[in-house]
Amino acid sequence: MDYKQLNDEYYNVLRSGEVPILSCKNCGYSFTNLRTTCPKCSSDKLNVRGAKEGVVYSYTIIERGLPFTAVLLLVDINGVRVKANYLGDPKKLRIGLKVRSKYVKQELIESIVFEPAE
Ligand SMILES: [Zn+2]
């Protein structure tokens, strides 16, 4: 897939509020960073699909050095790990919490954040 087509598909999924997951048609490896080749086998035969829900695998809360409290998640989506911010009640946050993705745009930065799904 050429870069423009891959980029368009990736951002269409992201803007729909889902996490873009790239899968390699050659070896089956899945990952979330936008890149033109598979990090395992270097194939450029990639697919893009979206996923909406995952489970908190790990998290960290940053309360120092920023003008706000930042909560960073590592979310597991069927074995694919995604790093993203958490928007939700920190008291609800725990390992294993089901979370749902949401699209956010701040100035020129487009990203996915997660909210509790339960
Ligand atoms: Zn591959």
Side-chain angles (χ1 to χ4, degrees):
M1 189 186 301
D2 72 45
Y3 180 74
K4 172 153 181 21
Q5 188 186 351
L6 187 71
N7 190 69
D8 288 351
E9 285 189 24
Y10 185 93
Y11 278 96
N12 284 341
V13 169
L14 188 95
R15 289 173 185 138
S16 77
E18 294 189 335
V19 179
I21 296 177
L22 286 79
S23 297
C24 176
K25 290 181 193 169
N26 185 47
C27 75
Y29 186 69
S30 294
F31 52 100
T32 57
N33 293 342
L34 179 58
R35 49 180 292 159
T36 54
T37 57
C38 172
K40 285 252 163 139
C41 74
S42 300
S43 169
D44 63 354
K45 306 267 184 288
L46 304 174
N47 257 345
V48 183
R49 65 187 161 88
K52 187 84 184 153
E53 292 196 342
V55 173
V56 174
Y57 179 80
S58 184
Y59 64 89
T60 187
I61 299 173
I62 302 167
E63 295 177 308
R64 298 177 65 178
L66 295 172
F68 52 86
T69 298
V71 182
L72 301 177
L73 302 181
L74 191 55
V75 175
D76 184 280
I77 300 175
N78 297 322
V80 180
R81 304 266 160 79
V82 185
K83 278 180 267 177
N85 287 319
Y86 173 76
L87 283 190
D89 183 355
K91 290 184 194 120
K92 274 191 155 184
L93 190 56
R94 60 177 167 75
I95 304 292
L97 176 72
K98 278 190 190 163
V99 287
R100 184 175 297 133
S101 62
K102 180 185 175 184
Y103 169 77
V104 291
K105 185 174 183 184
Q106 292 174 307
E107 309 211 356
L108 293 174
I109 313 248
E110 297 179 90
S111 62
I112 287 291
V113 298
F114 285 94
E115 300 175 315
E118 43 185 78

